[in-house]
Amino acid sequence: KNEVEQSPQNLTAQEGEFITINCSYSVGISALHWLQQHPGGGIVSLFMLSSGKKKHGRLIATINIQEKHSSLHITASHPRDSAVYICAVFGGATNKLIFGTGTLLAVQP
Amino acid sequence: NAGVTQTPKFQVLKTGQSMTLQCAQDMNHEYMSWYRQDPGMGLRLIHYSVGAGITDQGEVPNGYNVSRSTTEDFPLRLLSAAPSQTSVYFCASSYARGSYEQYFGPGTRLTVT
């Protein structure tokens, strides 16, 4: 079993919909990252959090340390939000970043 | 600031050839790392460095070498390319090892035939 699991693997939404992407992990962590990867490759950091909730524009990330679970929410989704969203945790036995396999989001106009 | 830069963007190699993927950052970050991204898998750590002169192996180091002679540069060398090394390679940097924001380069798409 992977140490970081994301769901769903693929998600198609209509423009304007509220989107939730989930991340569960099985190791002790000191921080969790949400990353975005657009088609054609580059990866950018969206959030790093170790507790509670963070908001940036239409994106909200939450984490529940006790339940080992994080969610990334996108409000009023737009086609430009179409990307792969990657969850990564820092910690575990190796004290390094452990990545999920990503969620491919397509927002249709 | 240019952030993290990688060259080349694309590369095709024949089996057995060697090459170096370049990575540089201008943020004075101590921690730099190389990942490979393969379909259906999360990014996997190849090698990392916590500062100039210090490198260590990650999860999948076989077939790759690194060095860190300066804070800015962290090249990845493929010693004798194999088809299994066909992948997209990302260099990343952060202020230090630990829970810090990660900055990624644009990636190098490598095909080994």
Side-chain angles (χ1 to χ4, degrees):
Chain A
K1 189 179 187 297
N2 292 338
E3 292 171 300
V4 179
E5 298 271 2
Q6 288 185 236
S7 63
Q9 288 188 307
N10 295 280
L11 180 56
T12 300
Q14 293 299 121
E15 185 172 356
E17 284 185 2
F18 181 85
I19 289 163
T20 296
I21 299 169
N22 296 299
C23 176
S24 296
Y25 53 92
S26 58
V27 296
I29 70 168
S30 54
L32 182 143
H33 299 252
W34 281 103
L35 309 165
Q36 181 191 57
Q37 183 174 26
H38 275 286
I43 299 172
V44 295
S45 177
L46 297 175
F47 296 103
M48 185 181 72
L49 62 168
S50 54
S51 65
K53 176 178 170 177
K54 286 191 176 180
K55 184 175 189 290
H56 185 257
R58 294 179 295 106
L59 273 59
I60 303 165
T62 64
I63 188 168
N64 185 318
I65 296 293
Q66 286 73 31
E67 295 187 4
K68 296 189 173 179
H69 181 268
S70 176
S71 293
L72 177 68
H73 305 286
I74 304 175
T75 62
S77 59
H78 189 276
R80 67 174 173 266
D81 297 324
S82 299
V84 175
Y85 291 84
I86 301 170
C87 172
V89 300
F90 188 87
T94 57
N95 208 28
K96 297 184 181 71
L97 270 177
I98 307 166
F99 293 82
T101 55
T103 293
L104 176 60
L105 171 66
V107 181
Q108 296 178 341
Chain B
N1 286 351
V4 180
T5 57
Q6 285 183 242
T7 55
K9 208 163 169 52
F10 301 94
Q11 183 71 49
V12 179
L13 289 178
K14 293 189 189 310
T15 296
Q17 287 184 317
S18 62
M19 79 159 296
T20 299
L21 307 185
Q22 301 291 346
C23 174
Q25 52 89 12
D26 61 0
M27 297 172 281
N28 204 32
H29 284 170
E30 290 297 325
Y31 186 79
M32 297 185 74
S33 51
W34 277 102
Y35 295 93
R36 58 178 290 171
Q37 185 179 43
D38 299 295
M41 304 182 78
L43 281 87
R44 291 183 292 167
L45 181 65
I46 304 170
H47 284 285
Y48 66 96
S49 169
V50 297
I54 306 168
T55 63
D56 205 349
Q57 296 181 349
E59 186 184 348
V60 287
N62 291 343
Y64 308 95
N65 269 357
V66 292
S67 59
R68 184 101 179 266
S69 55
T70 66
T71 299
E72 294 78 19
D73 300 297
F74 190 45
L76 178 73
R77 295 184 189 84
L78 278 71
L79 309 172
S80 177
S84 60
Q85 294 178 304
T86 294
S87 188
V88 182
Y89 291 85
F90 288 95
C91 178
S93 75
S94 62
Y95 171 73
R97 184 178 184 178
S99 305
Y100 298 96
E101 184 174 357
Q102 302 290 311
Y103 295 81
F104 288 85
T108 296
R109 186 172 293 274
L110 175 69
T111 302
V112 183
T113 61

